[in-house]
Amino acid sequence: MAHPISAFQAAYISIEVLIALVSVPGNILVIWAVKMNQALRDATFCFIVSLAVADVAVGALVIPLAIIINIGPQTEFYTCLMVACPVLILTESSILALLAIAVDRYLRVKIPVRYKSMVTPQRAAVAIACCWIVSFLVGLTPMFGWNNLNKMQRTQELNGSHTEFVITCQFETVISMEYMVYFNFFVWVLPPLLLMLLIYLEVFNLIRKQLNKKVSSSSNDPQKYYGKELKIAKSLALVLFLFALSWLPLHVLNCITLFCPSCQTPHILTYIAIFLTHGNSAMNPIVYAFRIKKFRTAFLQIWNQYFCCKTNKNATSTTTAETGN
C-alpha cells in the first residue's frame, strides 16, 4: 500500500519538477541551435551537444526516477537498481563530454594550423560514441554485481526472514558506497576533473603567450583568433567550474557516509546536494546564452523565426494563413 506523500516530499518534488522544466527546454534549445546554425558545427559544439543530450536526459529521465526513489516504493532489488543507474551513466557522460571539450580547446590553441585536419567530424563522432560507451560501462557496473545485494540478503538471513526479497527502493539501499567512492569518485570523477583543470590552465597559458607575442605584429588575424579562443575557453571553463561545484558536495557526502558511518549527515544537506547535481543540467544553456556569442545569436534566431511572429515575415504569413483557416 502506497504511503501518503509528506509536505517535505511535496516540496522536494515541486523543486525537482521546476528544475526539469528549465533543464529540458533549455538543452533542447542548445541542440536545436547547433542543428540549424552552420557556425556551430565544429567539434567543440558537437561535444556540447553530447553534454546537452545528457542534460536533457537528466531532466526527462533522472529527475522522474529520483522522485520515484524519494517516494520509496516497494520493489525487487534489481528493479530498484535499474532505477538508480541512469544517473550514474549520465553523470559520467557529462564528465567525459567536458573532458573532450577541454582536449578540443587545447588542440585548437596548441596546433591551430593542423587542428582541422586532425579533429575531423568523423573523429569527433567516434570520440562521442566512445564517451557514451564508457559511460554505460561505468554507470552499469552495479548491475554487473558491485551492489548491495549480498549484504541485504545476509541481513535478511540474520533476521530469520524467509519471505520474498522485496525492498524499499532507495539509492543507498542498492548502490554500494564502496563503488560510489572508490570506483565512481576516485577513478571516474575526481581524476578527470583534475585533468581538465590542468588542461584549461595550459590553454590559458598558451593563449596569453600567443597574445603577448602578437601584440607588436602588423597582422591582427592571430590576435583576433586567440582573443576569440580566450573568450570561449573562459566560458567553457565556467561550465566545468559549475559542474564541479554542483557535483563535488554530493561526492563529499558519500565519502563521509563511507569513511565515517557513525557521522550523522543532516538530511537537508543531502537534499541540497541532490538539487545542485540536478540543477547543473539547467545551468549550461544559461552560460552559453550569456557568454558565447554564436549561441546567443542562434537562440535569438530561433526565437525570431519560430516564436516571435512580429519579427519574422515567414512566421507572420504562417500565422495569417492559420487565422484564415
Side-chain angles (χ1 to χ4, degrees), residues 9-240:
Q9 284 180 317
Y12 166 81
I13 292 170
S14 299
I15 295 172
E16 288 282 40
V17 169
L18 181 62
I19 293 171
L21 290 175
V22 175
S23 176
V24 173
N27 285 286
I28 287 175
L29 189 61
V30 170
I31 298 167
W32 192 354
V34 174
K35 184 177 184 299
M36 71 173 292
N37 194 327
Q38 196 67 35
L40 296 172
R41 295 291 179 84
D42 65 18
T44 299
F45 296 106
C46 292
F47 296 131
I48 287 176
V49 166
S50 180
L51 181 60
V53 169
D55 287 338
V56 168
V58 168
L61 178 64
V62 169
I63 287 179
L65 294 179
I67 291 171
I68 291 172
I69 286 179
N70 182 260
I71 295 171
Q74 298 293 309
T75 67
E76 293 183 353
F77 184 89
Y78 276 98
T79 302
C80 184
L81 201 56
M82 288 175 64
V83 172
C85 281
V87 68
L88 303 173
I89 297 169
L90 296 172
T91 304
E92 191 56 39
S93 173
S94 297
I95 290 170
L96 293 179
L98 288 168
L99 180 59
I101 290 169
V103 172
D104 178 72
R105 300 324 292 183
Y106 173 77
L107 293 175
R108 285 184 72 93
V109 299
K110 183 68 175 178
I111 50 168
V113 177
R114 292 185 292 133
Y115 171 80
K116 287 190 176 179
S117 62
M118 285 192 63
V119 186
T120 62
Q122 293 79 10
R123 287 175 179 172
V126 170
I128 290 170
C130 290
C131 288
W132 278 98
I133 290 169
V134 171
S135 300
F136 271 92
L137 291 174
V138 172
L140 291 177
T141 297
M143 295 292 295
F144 303 145
W146 197 345
N147 53 53
N148 287 336
L149 179 60
N150 291 335
K151 184 166 68 175
M152 294 196 68
Q153 286 177 334
R154 285 196 300 270
T155 302
Q156 188 182 37
E157 289 171 3
L158 288 173
N159 293 335
S161 175
H162 301 288
T163 58
E164 186 180 356
F165 192 59
V166 176
I167 63 168
T168 300
C169 186
Q170 299 287 340
F171 187 86
E172 290 186 16
T173 303
V174 294
I175 300 294
S176 164
M177 272 300 119
E178 286 81 5
Y179 161 82
M180 285 301 300
V181 173
Y182 292 125
F183 185 68
N184 189 277
F185 182 47
F186 287 167
V187 176
W188 291 104
V189 174
L190 194 57
L193 288 177
L194 293 174
L195 179 59
M196 282 183 269
L197 174 63
L198 295 175
I199 290 173
Y200 275 111
L201 289 175
E202 181 63 15
V203 166
F204 291 134
N205 182 47
L206 288 171
I207 290 174
R208 294 194 186 283
K209 279 184 180 179
Q210 291 297 329
L211 288 174
N212 292 335
K213 188 191 305 182
K214 299 295 181 181
V215 164
S216 61
S217 174
S218 59
S219 171
N220 64 354
D221 284 342
Q223 190 85 1
K224 184 178 178 181
Y225 176 83
Y226 285 105
K228 183 182 71 173
E229 287 300 317
L230 180 60
K231 288 180 181 178
I232 294 178
K234 283 181 178 179
S235 300
L236 296 174
L238 177 59
V239 170
L240 171 62

Side-chain angles (χ1 to χ4, degrees), residues 276-290:
L276 281 173
T277 61
H278 294 166
N280 179 252
S281 298
M283 295 176 190
N284 293 343
I286 298 171
V287 173
Y288 303 150
F290 281 97

Side-chain angles (χ1 to χ4, degrees), residues 248-264:
L248 286 178
L250 186 61
H251 284 290
V252 170
L253 290 178
N254 288 339
C255 290
I256 293 172
T257 300
L258 178 64
F259 298 129
C260 183
S262 61
C263 297
Q264 294 295 321

